[in-house]
Amino acid sequence: MALMTADSPCSCDCFVSLPPASAIPAVIFAKNSDRPRDEVQEVVFVPAGTHAPGSRLQCTYIEVDQVPKTHAVVLSRPSWLWGAEMGANEHGVCIGNEAVWTKEPVQDGEALLGMDLLRLALERGSTAQEAMLLITGLLQHYGQGGSCREDPAPFCYHNTFLLADRTEAWVLETAGRLWAAQRIRAGARNLSNQLSIGADISAEHPELRSHARAQGWWGGQGSFDFAQVFSLSQQPVRMEAAKARFRAGRELLQQRQGDITAETMMDILRDKDSGICMDSGGFRTTASMVSVLPQDPSQPCVHFLTATPDPSRSVFKPFIFGVGVAQAPQVLSPTFGAEDPVRILPRFQTRVDRRHTLYREHQVALGRMEAEKVWGQQLHQRQRNLEREGLAVLQGLLAAGEGTPPPQQLGSLFQDFVERESQAYA
């Protein structure tokens, strides 16, 4: 079992707001993905597909049975793996995952990564609840395991998930193949690399309590508090830091109860004082996402993705599943096929350059921003102006389509904003 070290990439923060916490009749989802600081995250669009009976699907490390039909998805993912840190599907389901350590030991050997489970659930689930049940079923059948970073030294963890759709959200927290889930129908909720479900359990693994009792973690009488029963009694330093981020995130949500918008979530993801916008030692916030899921099914869901590190110096760009939607090549990393270090055993003995075009341009621009303060301020203003244009598209769609691009142009919206951001860096 791999141990967590001081430089372990174990920080992420997920948020969700439902009416009446939301300022609009919509569910709002947000996540910062905190990973090794030199890891590249790409934004990938995968169209809906049909698959032959008996097909097998290669995930990051293992194969699983394929299903007859899969949904279209947009994914923000570390470019070396198959799964994703966060994403959405054409039915308005959003999922983010986080690392967590529990009393249950991490499985030896390779299985499904939590990020693989996330993508599989998005490709197969049409509601948040259905996606949650898909994850638990896959967890039972295949287990979770394998190194979660591109490094010869294995680094493994269990996973928690925040799942949302137009009507509700679910928190799913796992310990090996065991799990507990909590349904969220109103208000705001956040996750930060720790078990957070107490006694308010909406669904659970059928052997969850009997296993806890057999291990001597629970006496079998009285209230069953999942987080208290399964959390490590001696928390590593990084887990203690996660507690502080969790409290800060909860307070930021509470301060804006009833007034939470997409902009609110972007501001929270950019909060450096709390550590939610991470830049510490060997890891940082490598990508961010905010999604607005209107309760009115006639209104499209709008997903804002950065595809670049540090949301305080990145642009949230709007993506909408629509006519003509396609992959934006500027945010797609190069591929290396059979020569990829993740495919060659033993894995990760060499490194390859996975930077996509926008990532390269963004990094050059950040360097110049630090060296040339006036130019940097001007660029930062151009970034915010471009982002405000994307938010204006959202506002227009929520106001019955006033002043928004025609439907046939919504599918190319993300591509257009990527190109304009690239021009700003040039």
Side-chain angles (χ1 to χ4, degrees):
M1 182 178 78
L3 298 177
M4 181 166 52
T5 67
D7 292 328
S8 297
C10 53
S11 304
C12 284
D13 297 278
C14 290
F15 303 87
V16 69
S17 173
L18 298 84
S22 301
I24 56 176
V27 175
I28 306 174
F29 168 94
K31 181 187 174 182
N32 267 355
S33 173
D34 300 338
R35 301 280 302 171
R37 65 180 307 107
D38 59 348
E39 184 179 80
V40 178
Q41 203 152 144
E42 59 183 349
V43 173
V44 180
F45 168 71
V46 183
T50 57
H51 312 281
S55 296
R56 300 282 288 172
L57 174 66
Q58 177 66 54
C59 299
T60 301
Y61 296 127
I62 69 167
E63 287 188 348
V64 301
D65 294 329
Q66 182 59 287
V67 294
K69 293 183 178 181
T70 50
H71 308 313
V73 297
V74 61
L75 308 169
S76 185
R77 71 176 190 186
S79 56
W80 62 269
L81 51 78
W82 181 84
E85 276 276 296
M86 50 201 171
N89 70 20
E90 60 185 308
H91 298 289
V93 178
C94 296
I95 311 178
N97 85 305
E98 305 204 3
V100 70
W101 288 263
T102 72
K103 291 177 182 176
E104 193 68 15
V106 174
Q107 171 182 323
D108 289 329
E110 295 178 340
L112 289 173
L113 296 179
M115 293 170 278
D116 293 338
L117 291 165
L118 185 154
R119 177 174 173 177
L120 288 166
L122 286 174
E123 290 188 342
R124 302 177 181 195
S126 56
T127 68
Q129 183 176 20
E130 185 179 359
M132 184 272 292
L133 293 173
L134 280 161
I135 290 176
T136 60
L138 290 162
L139 199 59
Q140 182 65 31
H141 190 72
Y142 297 102
Q144 58 180 322
S147 185
C148 299
R149 66 178 174 186
E150 191 180 11
D151 192 275
F155 181 74
C156 310
Y157 48 74
H158 295 152
N159 290 267
T160 64
F161 302 88
L162 181 61
L163 309 94
D165 60 25
R166 292 177 181 268
T167 62
E168 64 180 10
W170 284 82
V171 174
L172 172 63
E173 299 184 339
T174 73
R177 282 181 164 84
L178 303 173
W179 56 272
Q182 183 182 67
R183 192 176 207 165
I184 312 295
R185 290 176 166 165
R189 183 74 153 81
N190 63 307
L191 295 178
S192 295
N193 299 111
Q194 59 186 302
L195 298 180
S196 62
I197 298 175
D200 185 12
I201 300 174
S202 305
E204 64 187 71
H205 189 284
E207 299 175 5
L208 182 69
R209 302 188 190 211
S210 60
H211 179 81
R213 188 171 183 179
Q215 295 296 318
W217 302 336
W218 180 56
Q221 300 295 323
S223 176
F224 180 82
D225 185 307
F226 175 69
Q228 185 176 19
V229 171
F230 276 85
S231 292
L232 292 166
S233 54
Q234 293 292 326
Q235 297 281 4
V237 174
R238 284 291 184 191
M239 296 293 279
E240 291 297 332
K243 289 182 180 180
R245 292 200 332 276
F246 177 77
R247 289 192 296 267
R250 183 175 57 190
E251 290 173 3
L252 288 168
L253 289 174
Q254 290 174 344
Q255 291 169 8
R256 302 296 297 272
Q257 285 280 340
D259 193 34
I260 296 174
T261 62
E263 297 99 310
T264 306
M265 290 297 197
M266 292 175 188
D267 289 343
I268 291 174
L269 296 184
R270 286 171 168 147
D271 193 281
K272 288 184 177 290
D273 291 341
S274 64
I276 291 171
C277 184
M278 176 66 63
D279 191 354
S280 174
F283 59 107
R284 64 177 171 180
T285 300
T286 55
S288 305
M289 173 179 170
V290 172
S291 293
V292 178
L293 317 175
Q295 292 182 320
D296 182 350
S298 68
Q299 296 177 330
C301 299
V302 184
H303 313 282
F304 294 87
L305 303 108
T306 62
T308 53
D310 187 353
S312 70
R313 299 189 293 178
S314 289
V315 179
F316 284 91
K317 299 169 283 293
F319 177 98
I320 297 175
F321 289 94
V323 177
V325 64
Q327 175 66 49
Q330 299 94 328
V331 293
L332 190 65
S333 293
T335 57
F336 301 91
E339 300 304 313
D340 196 305
V342 72
R343 302 263 68 91
I344 301 172
L345 298 178
R347 304 190 197 278
F348 308 126
Q349 301 303 300
T350 59
R351 300 298 296 267
V352 292
D353 188 350
R354 301 186 188 275
R355 294 175 296 169
H356 53 69
T357 300
L358 186 65
Y359 184 98
R360 290 173 180 270
E361 294 171 343
H362 181 260
Q363 293 304 103
V364 170
L366 290 191
R368 189 177 173 191
M369 286 176 76
E370 294 173 358
E372 303 177 33
K373 299 302 181 183
V374 174
W375 185 89
Q377 292 171 357
Q378 294 172 344
L379 176 60
H380 188 264
Q381 188 60 52
R382 288 197 295 271
Q383 287 179 317
R384 294 292 82 81
N385 290 342
L386 181 60
E387 186 173 282
R388 278 192 281 271
E389 289 188 40
L391 289 165
V393 171
L394 169 65
Q395 294 300 325
L397 290 169
L398 296 177
E402 296 179 6
T404 60
Q408 62 270 24
Q409 293 183 14
L410 292 179
S412 61
L413 197 63
F414 184 73
Q415 172 71 59
D416 292 342
F417 273 78
V418 169
E419 290 177 355
R420 293 178 62 192
E421 182 182 3
S422 179
Q423 292 167 3
Y425 299 148

